Amino acid sequence: MKQNEKPTALIMLFGATGDLAKRKLFPSLYNLYKKGKLERFAVIGVARRPLTNEEFQKSVADSLQVSSDSSENLDDFTSRFYYHSHDVTDSSSYQVLKNMAGELDQHYSLEGNRIFYLAMAPEFFGTIAEHLKHDGLTDVPGFKRLVIEKPFGHDLESAKELNSRIRTAFNEDEVYRIDHYLGKEMVQNIEVIRFANAIFEPLWNNRFISNIQVTSSETLGVEERGRYYEKSGALRDMVQNHMLQMVALLAMEPPIRLTTDEIRSEKVKVLRALRPLEGQEVNNAFVRGQYGAGQINSTPVPAYRQEQMVDENSNTETFVAGKLLIDNFRWAGVPIYIRTGKRMKAKSTKIVIQFQDVPMNLYYQTEQTLNPNLLVIHIQPEEGITLHLNAKKSGKNTEATQVKLNFANKDIDGINTPEAYEKLLYDCMRGDATNFTHWDEVALSWNFVDKISDVWESTKEQNFPNYESGSMGPDAADELLAKDGFFWWPVTDLEVENC
Ligand code: NAD
């Protein structure tokens, strides 16, 4: 389907009374609707709570009131929302759902196109997929697509089991595994920056890049998600998916074409080339942390172990830093450092590409060294690129100073870029799976991460909590880079400036 074609589909949303539906999915659909990007569509919301269609439509409207600045054609939009109270484990209920879907398909002329969006806890994914197949809901003349939220399994074994259950009802090319980082404007921009500029690609290798740093830090703690987080931790929640996906985009070879298959195949090669870690290597290359009490924006916050539904002796990590090595010609010897954590000093997702030093310093700066060139990709909250160069200090003969070339997305486009979910929903409706995760990527990522969790789960970390809320993580994360002669570029000093 072309970029500006308007898709038609029935969207069956499982988990329609949940947080994700209200905060992200309804607003994203409404934005697509207001922009005229949807042709014909209807939504069946499915959840346990008994609600009438009218009550459901009101809850959709209420969620839009919070997130949307206009209520253009709101009644027409919400009139396309229907509700079915359904326990997904109850077989008899799927027949009612099937009849309802058939009627709406006819009423709105939806051509038998169906999207099943599972905005629910992952333990239900397999059951729902099997029922959809068994009860004939996937038996349609149009397309059928399954959208699933993370986490996709808990480790490689459980991911394989889940995948095989899903595949009884859907082919791999009908499964859209959401990684919402892949919907972010600046994550999508990584490829364009790399492959549409003659100046970067020749330098994008181990001869000119000394290291890469990928940081995704949050100021929020675990909030109400203690029960989920205790079993997950930062490694499974962030590294297995978002962090490794960003690394794959940064390190992949140029695809021969911008098609889903070609791009995925290049990303898969990166994940295959990740140097696996075994036993003690894990502790040399990875650092885990857990937040203690501290202050965020001058407000005291509790330690992780004091959060709701968290074990008071919890061994769960809320911070991970690691050194990745990619064993291929392009990247041999270049460390890629990643770090992610909760309750950190700043909310920031940034990528810093540090270039090698010039062979000889003819100039000097205050500390007698030249600043290395940096390319900073700002993913969120601000979106843009900064290139750090050295230039002559005005009035001085031989002194260089750092200058920054800045590009802030909003200065160019003049608008906030669409929310990731809006783009991903639209892509799914158009049948473009490029920005979703293929099973091969999921499996390779779990394979890498499982080695780390095996070591961490078998040894209790005695020093937890080992970083204060409001800091940038444990000292060991700094030592990880110091061993190689590097340091983390402070994300708070790298803000993109509006031009
Ligand atoms: P939630 O707990 O707020 O909502 C869960 C929904 O599932 C509710 O509508 C509930 O009624 C329904 N449900 C639960 N058991 C059911 C059953 N047996 N039968 C029918 N319906 C049932 O969860 P959420 O925060 O919306 O998250 C949903 C999924 O999205 C999870 O997999 C989560 O990990 C993922 N996710 C959420 C967010 C977010 O921002 N909330 C972000 C990324 C991923």
Side-chain angles (χ1 to χ4, degrees), residues 15-20 23 47-48 86-88 119-120 124 149-150:
T17 55
D19 175 67
L20 185 71
R23 280 194 314 112
R48 256 181 321 198
H86 164 111
D87 188 319
V88 296
M120 293 191 49
F124 297 116
E149 279 294 335
K150 74 167 194 187

Side-chain angles (χ1 to χ4, degrees), residues 197-474:
N197 291 300
I199 60 169
F200 292 128
E201 196 46 31
L203 306 181
W204 212 263
N205 56 53
N206 51 9
R207 277 173 295 146
F208 298 99
I209 289 179
S210 76
N211 73 90
I212 296 179
Q213 302 177 10
V214 185
T215 299
S216 185
S217 60
E218 289 180 69
T219 50
L220 287 179
V222 73
E223 311 298 296
E224 298 87 35
R225 295 169 70 221
R227 192 197 308 270
Y228 158 75
Y229 204 82
E230 273 288 89
K231 285 189 265 151
S232 157
L235 187 67
R236 293 188 170 97
D237 193 46
M238 289 295 294
V239 176
Q240 184 271 337
N241 36 54
H242 313 314
M243 303 301 278
L244 289 182
Q245 283 292 325
M246 286 193 282
V247 169
L249 288 168
L250 285 164
M252 73 186 206
E253 294 300 314
I256 54 170
R257 253 174 247 104
L258 282 183
T259 59
T260 305
D261 287 349
E262 296 300 344
I263 295 172
R264 281 171 162 179
S265 125
E266 296 305 339
K267 285 166 66 191
V268 162
K269 280 191 218 156
V270 173
L271 297 171
R272 281 172 50 203
L274 269 183
R275 187 180 296 177
L277 301 168
E278 300 285 348
Q280 186 49 34
E281 289 165 353
V282 167
N283 292 327
N284 294 337
F286 269 75
V287 170
R288 53 180 157 164
Q290 188 191 78
Y291 62 81
Q295 297 219 339
I296 301 279
N297 298 328
S298 315
T299 309
V301 291
Y304 176 69
R305 289 177 177 181
Q306 263 78 63
E307 302 274 20
Q308 283 169 36
M309 288 181 282
V310 169
D311 183 340
E312 58 187 25
N313 294 311
S314 174
N315 194 37
T316 301
E317 78 287 348
T318 60
F319 173 98
V320 175
K323 171 178 167 179
L324 309 175
L325 288 168
I326 296 172
D327 289 327
N328 64 16
F329 255 58
R330 187 189 281 264
W331 294 113
V334 180
I336 301 184
Y337 302 107
I338 55 169
R339 77 179 152 166
T340 180
K342 290 192 175 294
R343 283 275 191 246
M344 291 173 70
K345 185 175 173 185
K347 175 180 169 60
S348 174
T349 304
K350 275 191 182 41
I351 296 164
V352 182
I353 291 113
Q354 179 176 341
F355 292 89
Q356 306 251 3
D357 291 338
V358 287
M360 185 180 140
N361 181 8
L362 295 169
Y363 306 93
Y364 60 91
Q365 291 177 333
T366 344
E367 284 152 21
Q368 304 294 315
T369 55
L370 277 179
N371 280 307
N373 295 131
L374 303 179
L375 173 67
V376 184
I377 304 176
H378 309 265
I379 309 281
Q380 66 178 16
E382 76 272 22
E383 298 178 337
I385 309 165
T386 311
L387 185 59
H388 293 221
L389 303 173
N390 293 303
K392 184 173 172 297
K393 193 163 185 170
S394 302
K396 310 272 175 156
N397 280 342
T398 55
E399 203 168 323
T401 187
Q402 191 190 53
V403 294
K404 295 179 189 174
L405 305 188
N406 260 318
F407 151 66
N409 244 7
K410 61 175 181 294
D411 292 331
I412 302 292
D413 296 338
I415 46 163
N416 289 329
T417 54
E419 163 66 49
Y421 274 96
E422 182 182 326
K423 286 201 259 182
L424 294 174
L425 262 171
Y426 189 54
D427 282 355
C428 169
M429 293 181 85
R430 292 187 307 116
D432 181 352
T434 313
N435 294 314
F436 295 81
T437 325
H438 188 273
W439 165 247
D440 292 347
E441 298 169 68
V442 174
L444 286 162
S445 305
W446 275 128
N447 195 36
F448 180 77
V449 157
D450 278 356
K451 304 276 181 353
I452 303 169
S453 38
D454 285 350
V455 173
W456 284 357
E457 278 161 21
S458 63
T459 47
K460 192 163 168 63
E461 172 58 68
Q462 300 301 334
N463 295 327
F464 275 178
N466 60 353
Y467 71 98
E468 204 178 308
S469 285
S471 71
M472 279 310 280

Side-chain angles (χ1 to χ4, degrees), residues 13-25 46-49 83-90 94 117-125 128 148-151 178 180 225 228 237 242 421:
L13 179 57
F14 292 81
T17 55
D19 175 67
L20 185 71
K22 286 186 186 151
R23 280 194 314 112
K24 303 286 182 189
L25 304 181
V46 176
R48 256 181 321 198
R49 197 179 307 166
Y83 187 78
H84 176 56
S85 164
H86 164 111
D87 188 319
V88 296
T89 54
D90 171 8
Y94 285 88
Y117 196 124
L118 310 191
M120 293 191 49
E123 61 255 37
F124 297 116
F125 294 170
I128 299 174
I148 33 185
E149 279 294 335
K150 74 167 194 187
I178 291 250
H180 69 274
R225 295 169 70 221
Y228 158 75
D237 193 46
H242 313 314
Y421 274 96

